[in-house]
Amino acid sequence: GKVTASVIGPNSGIAEGEATSSLVGPFVGFHHQSLLIAALWPRGKGNVAYGANVGSNHTSRLPDQELLCGEGIFFGLGTNIKFPADYSHAPYSIIATGVTTLPQRVTFPFSLILSPSKSIPELSPGLNELIPAWILSDNIYALKRNEEKYRTRNRATRNNFAADVFRPEIVDLMVSAKQALTSVAQKREWYTETQIPGLGKNFLIEKNRVRAIEAYQLYIEYYCLFGMVQLLLPFKKTSADRSLPDPWKIKDGGPYWQHQRQLAAHEKINTRPLTHNLSHCIRILEQIDRDIREAKEKDDRRGARIIPDYDAVSIPAAADAFILATNAHIRESIRHIETLIDLSLIHISEPTRPY
């Protein structure tokens, strides 16, 4: 490894790569020969894969170009990242293997940037394809597994940072991204920065726009509703009459509750009956559980098709320790929510407005 004029955060390691004039935050995997230069990456939690050239700070005039990295960005094998670039509003996004990105600003979190899946004659061949919220819809296994690693592998003793991915600043970016996707003036087969600001030097097809809106909405509701559940759980243990208060009227709660409460009002989640919100939280948890398992099962199926003895040497989704632990945690959460719904626990006046 080679580190020059850089600051490296806790739990990060530069094994064989080169970091120059950069601030590298916590939990950045930098295990192979690759380059990171003139990068501001304070939140870290990302990856620089083998052969990634994250740096073109010299324009042949002056070495004055730079990169702003979002939390959890993954630079894939052999990527070429042209500067200036700003991915600070696209946390937990992946730039796929072999992709060359143009100078750009991207504002869609949890995205995948990849080589075009289809040729569009009207567009420049230099544009890549962007799939917003792809991590949420197709790769939640990786996101949740990394979140668990941040909690269990932290060895820092003098630095504090949140292991939670879904925090106010991240969720606010999801809300803004969803708003940008829903505000298109006219539906079309594909979109660029002209129609949807924040796409950068990429295009987006209509099918993926619709899927991204659904994924962002699902996890915005998950963030609000799971916060509501955590707020209500103590009441079922301590309340003498076994009744529940209206959660949206409670101002004091967990570290994110004020934000969750305000966002629930913005998204009209607080206008729904409490029983509906509790039941919907169960459905969301069940979907997350399915999506985590299915993401791993896709790898299992592909590996078995290609490698003759893949099943003999690989751990299948059904035996994956992380999946089993996550499933157990989700089942426990669902049992708690069912307790809130059952046994006459709910005596508050339900809103009568339609949701």
Side-chain angles (χ1 to χ4, degrees):
K2 183 178 180 181
V3 180
T4 306
S6 297
V7 176
I8 310 301
N11 306 296
S12 290
I14 300 177
E16 297 180 43
E18 175 184 347
T20 300
S21 301
S22 295
L23 190 153
V24 181
F27 282 111
V28 171
F30 203 143
H31 307 301
H32 306 285
Q33 294 180 6
S34 49
L35 168 68
L36 182 70
I37 188 171
L40 184 63
W41 201 348
R43 296 289 188 179
K45 299 180 182 176
N47 191 81
V48 184
Y50 179 85
N53 294 308
V54 187
S56 56
N57 68 318
H58 208 300
T59 62
S60 78
R61 291 178 289 276
L62 289 172
D64 58 356
Q65 306 301 298
E66 60 187 336
L67 166 70
L68 304 181
C69 279
E71 179 179 319
I73 292 287
F74 189 109
F75 297 103
L77 292 164
T79 53
N80 295 294
I81 311 301
K82 294 185 178 181
F83 289 9
D86 183 357
Y87 299 103
S88 61
H89 288 69
Y92 294 98
S93 292
I94 292 178
I95 300 175
T97 296
V99 168
T100 296
T101 61
L102 296 173
Q104 62 180 338
R105 181 174 187 264
V106 177
T107 61
F108 291 92
F110 305 102
S111 294
L112 173 65
I113 298 177
L114 70 164
S115 299
S117 61
K118 59 187 298 184
S119 176
I120 301 177
E122 298 93 329
L123 296 179
S124 166
L127 296 185
N128 293 307
E129 183 173 356
L130 186 143
I131 305 177
W134 182 85
I135 304 298
L136 301 178
S137 61
D138 290 76
N139 201 16
I140 191 64
Y141 174 93
L143 186 68
K144 285 294 187 179
R145 184 171 177 270
N146 284 339
E147 191 176 49
E148 184 64 18
K149 287 195 299 185
Y150 305 148
R151 292 193 180 97
T152 59
R153 299 185 186 181
N154 177 30
R155 297 183 180 180
T157 59
R158 292 171 295 179
N159 299 81
N160 294 317
F161 52 87
D164 300 334
V165 170
F166 298 106
R167 311 188 308 276
E169 59 266 34
I170 303 291
V171 175
D172 282 343
L173 293 175
M174 294 164 57
V175 173
S176 297
K178 187 193 74 167
Q179 178 63 30
L181 294 173
T182 56
S183 299
V184 296
Q186 183 178 1
K187 293 182 181 179
R188 47 190 293 158
E189 182 182 355
W190 49 265
Y191 306 87
T192 65
E193 174 87 6
T194 302
Q195 293 82 35
I196 304 179
L199 286 179
K201 296 295 184 178
N202 308 285
F203 69 87
L204 166 66
I205 64 174
E206 170 64 8
K207 177 184 71 174
N208 290 330
R209 182 187 73 90
V210 173
R211 291 191 70 217
I213 293 171
E214 295 172 351
Y216 284 138
Q217 184 63 37
L218 178 76
Y219 280 90
I220 289 169
E221 296 202 12
Y222 162 72
Y223 169 76
C224 293
L225 293 178
F226 199 70
M228 178 198 74
V229 167
Q230 297 300 110
L231 181 78
L232 289 176
L233 284 177
F235 287 94
K236 76 181 181 66
K237 300 176 183 178
T238 61
S239 179
D241 61 357
R242 305 282 284 176
S243 62
L244 293 176
D246 183 345
W248 309 118
K249 293 182 179 179
I250 300 174
K251 295 184 178 180
D252 297 325
Y256 307 146
W257 177 243
Q258 278 297 329
H259 183 260
Q260 290 163 327
R261 181 170 168 263
Q262 294 168 4
L263 182 56
H266 179 269
E267 297 288 319
K268 303 294 191 293
I269 295 172
N270 64 348
T271 65
R272 304 170 181 173
L274 181 58
T275 49
H276 169 88
N277 277 332
L278 290 169
S279 298
H280 189 48
C281 189
I282 289 177
R283 289 191 292 271
I284 291 175
L285 288 172
E286 290 174 337
Q287 179 170 341
I288 292 173
D289 191 35
R290 288 193 303 271
D291 289 348
I292 289 174
R293 185 180 66 255
E294 290 173 3
K296 177 66 169 65
E297 287 175 344
K298 285 192 293 187
D299 287 347
D300 294 343
R301 291 191 295 269
R302 180 177 58 187
R305 287 196 306 267
I306 298 172
I307 307 297
D309 63 346
Y310 186 88
D311 291 339
V313 298
S314 300
I315 299 174
D320 184 285
F322 170 74
I323 291 178
L324 294 175
T326 301
N327 176 262
H329 179 70
I330 287 177
R331 298 316 306 174
E332 181 183 14
S333 297
I334 289 174
R335 285 193 296 270
H336 287 315
I337 298 171
E338 289 173 339
T339 303
L340 294 174
I341 297 173
D342 293 341
L343 301 176
S344 302
L345 285 175
I346 302 170
H347 300 305
I348 67 171
S349 298
E350 301 282 21
T352 57
R353 288 170 287 176
Y355 58 84

